[in-house]
Amino acid sequence: MLEFAILGLLHQSPMHGYELRKQLSQVLGGLRSISYGSLYPALKRMRAAGLISTDEPEPHALLPADAPPLTGRRGKVVYTITAEGKERFHELVSQTGPEAYDDGGLFGVRLAFFGHTASDVRLRILEGRRRTVERQREGLRCSLARTRERLDRYTLELQRHGLESVDREVRWLSELIDTERREAGEPPPTTT
Amino acid sequence: MLEFAILGLLHQSPMHGYELRKQLSQVLGGLRSISYGSLYPALKRMRAAGLISTDEPEPHALLPADAPPLTGRRGKVVYTITAEGKERFHELVSQTGPEAYDDGGLFGVRLAFFGHTASDVRLRILEGRRRTVERQREGLRCSLARTRERLDRYTLELQRHGLESVDREVRWLSELIDTERREAGEPPPTTT
DNA sequence: GCACCGATGTATCGTCTCGATACATCGGAG
DNA sequence: CTCCGATGTATCGAGACGATACATCGGTGC
């Protein structure tokens, strides 16, 4: 998921880690943000895999230049996507399997880069996501029906709220799907 | 958070790990479930800390009883809360600081055990949670306003949906707070 | 001029969580 | 009488997170 997001952002333009993190937070929908403890190891991995490269021009300062033996000077590092990375990104972008929408986090990132995604792929992902969330909704409904008897008011409220949230998500996805279909020339089937 | 939930469940009755996990999933609101990879280490930790104890009566079967050297026989393990554990639980239950509601997961667990929580503590936690979510909402609003110009339709939709969800959560919390206040005899202030 | 501060910036560490997996027993359906 | 799915305990490696350290830059106030 992180890999996808990073490739997507670097596909637009090279960036520092710091900037990358900020953009990442936005892409993730604004609430969920990525920590450096995840970001830098991910960058290191991707660099090792040849998906990105680092231009490291500025040693950041012209200090004594010889052995301030503390920990060593750190320069700004600009990360750039490689040809291999672009290939990998387009490969990921065209995936439509359950791995693309079963996890909400990855789905969010997929959505954020729908601009790079073909129309039919978009549709398939949205529908897959809807199926997943609908299944969740069924689970919640059962759970709620089962626990309605041995009533703990607060747990019940929590589940009710959760169910409504999931319900709203299904409706939201349905709207997106309808829009998508309409734009593809296909009239939305009256599946409401 | 796990610690709180486990103590809460074992406070009601002793349980196996398996049963514990099922109940845990329900308590967490139905969608989020705990994996064994989290549960068993947590139990081990809590056992080491003296919060719970294990009765291990049945070796599960009367096999040859001597050295099936594969990995060793495993018996059912019943976890029971100790006096120390109960003390810890009541200590946790009466906490009203930000740590009780800043994290949504922990807040959900707190809510599930509101039955063990004093009325004024309940109110303070609900109000704290609302403040937290309201702050999140502000952040989202700003982010949405900022990104509205450089429009990517899908990211925008994602943020819009996220904002509405947070908005709904605030309203939900407000209802809970009103109910709580009404039951405490205090008429809800007309803060709608 | 200069002391301080918050934003920018890179990076690691220990702790925890998760998904996958292995192992093992039990009740019942076919 | 065998196979299957539920019950049940447990670990492993990958990776995510919060906290923290280190370091520079552009101001703002004095």
Side-chain angles (χ1 to χ4, degrees):
Chain A
M1 189 222 81
L2 240 187
E3 178 185 324
F4 191 110
I6 291 172
L7 286 177
L9 284 176
L10 292 185
H11 197 274
Q12 298 167 358
S13 84
M15 248 180 268
H16 289 176
Y18 189 84
E19 179 71 10
L20 212 39
R21 185 193 187 235
K22 276 196 307 180
Q23 303 258 358
L24 235 31
S25 301
Q26 279 198 353
V27 157
L28 264 288
L31 17 74
R32 201 165 297 277
S33 89
I34 287 299
S35 72
Y36 292 125
S38 315
L39 179 59
Y40 283 110
L43 287 172
K44 200 182 274 184
R45 258 177 281 142
M46 292 169 66
R47 191 180 179 289
L51 301 175
I52 60 177
S53 68
T54 58
D55 307 359
E56 188 169 354
E58 327 171 39
H60 212 196
L62 306 177
L63 282 189
D66 48 296
L70 306 165
T71 29
R73 348 207 299 278
R74 267 172 242 198
K76 297 195 182 188
V77 180
V78 177
Y79 296 93
T80 309
I81 193 169
T82 62
E84 216 175 322
K86 286 187 186 178
E87 199 181 331
R88 174 81 178 134
F89 181 64
H90 288 118
E91 188 185 315
L92 289 170
V93 142
S94 54
Q95 283 190 348
T96 60
E99 69 276 6
Y101 48 74
D102 269 4
D103 172 50
L106 182 50
F107 169 74
V109 177
R110 295 299 310 259
L111 197 65
F113 294 105
F114 259 20
H116 300 267
T117 310
S119 171
D120 61 315
V121 173
R122 287 201 293 254
L123 202 52
R124 246 178 303 171
I125 289 182
L126 288 172
E127 286 169 340
R129 179 64 187 167
R130 185 169 61 175
R131 264 196 309 280
T132 296
V133 179
E134 275 171 344
R135 231 174 297 129
Q136 272 184 19
R137 183 173 60 175
E138 268 336 283
L140 275 185
R141 271 211 249 269
C142 290
S143 169
L144 193 53
R146 248 186 299 113
T147 53
R148 195 177 288 277
E149 290 93 46
R150 44 190 196 76
L151 21 68
D152 177 328
R153 222 182 70 213
Y154 299 102
T155 310
L156 223 63
E157 266 305 313
L158 186 62
Q159 291 200 4
R160 213 183 47 71
H161 177 65
L163 181 55
E164 273 185 35
S165 293
V166 172
D167 212 54
R168 271 191 25 77
E169 189 171 351
V170 170
R171 280 202 292 277
W172 175 64
L173 287 166
S174 293
E175 279 172 37
L176 287 181
I177 289 171
D178 284 354
T179 305
E180 205 65 49
R181 285 227 184 86
R182 217 172 300 124
E183 284 184 5
E186 184 187 339
T190 45
T191 331
T192 316
Chain B
M1 188 223 81
L2 241 188
E3 178 184 324
F4 190 109
I6 291 173
L7 286 178
L9 285 177
L10 292 185
H11 197 275
Q12 298 166 358
S13 84
M15 247 180 269
H16 289 176
Y18 189 83
E19 179 71 11
L20 212 39
R21 186 196 187 232
K22 278 196 307 180
Q23 304 258 357
L24 234 31
S25 302
Q26 280 197 354
V27 157
L28 263 290
L31 17 74
R32 200 165 299 275
S33 88
I34 286 300
S35 72
Y36 292 125
S38 314
L39 178 59
Y40 283 110
L43 287 172
K44 201 182 271 183
R45 256 176 283 141
M46 291 168 67
R47 191 180 179 288
L51 301 176
I52 59 177
S53 67
T54 59
D55 306 358
E56 188 170 353
E58 329 170 39
H60 212 199
L62 306 177
L63 282 191
D66 49 296
L70 306 164
T71 28
R73 345 205 300 279
R74 266 171 242 195
K76 298 195 180 188
V77 181
V78 178
Y79 296 92
T80 309
I81 193 170
T82 63
E84 215 175 321
K86 286 187 186 181
E87 198 181 331
R88 175 80 178 134
F89 181 65
H90 289 119
E91 187 185 316
L92 289 170
V93 141
S94 55
Q95 283 189 348
T96 59
E99 70 277 5
Y101 48 73
D102 270 4
D103 171 49
L106 183 51
F107 168 73
V109 178
R110 297 298 312 255
L111 197 64
F113 294 104
F114 259 20
H116 300 266
T117 310
S119 171
D120 62 315
V121 173
R122 287 202 294 255
L123 201 53
R124 246 179 303 171
I125 289 181
L126 288 172
E127 284 169 341
R129 178 64 185 168
R130 186 169 60 174
R131 263 196 309 279
T132 297
V133 179
E134 274 171 344
R135 233 174 296 128
Q136 270 184 19
R137 183 172 61 174
E138 269 336 283
L140 275 184
R141 270 211 250 269
C142 289
S143 169
L144 194 53
R146 251 185 297 112
T147 55
R148 194 177 289 276
E149 290 93 47
R150 46 190 195 73
L151 22 66
D152 176 327
R153 223 184 69 217
Y154 300 103
T155 309
L156 223 62
E157 267 303 315
L158 186 62
Q159 291 201 5
R160 213 184 45 73
H161 177 65
L163 180 55
E164 274 186 33
S165 294
V166 173
D167 212 53
R168 272 191 25 75
E169 189 171 349
V170 170
R171 280 202 293 276
W172 175 64
L173 287 167
S174 293
E175 280 172 36
L176 287 181
I177 290 172
D178 284 354
T179 304
E180 204 67 48
R181 286 229 184 84
R182 217 172 301 124
E183 285 185 4
E186 184 188 338
T190 43
T191 331
T192 316

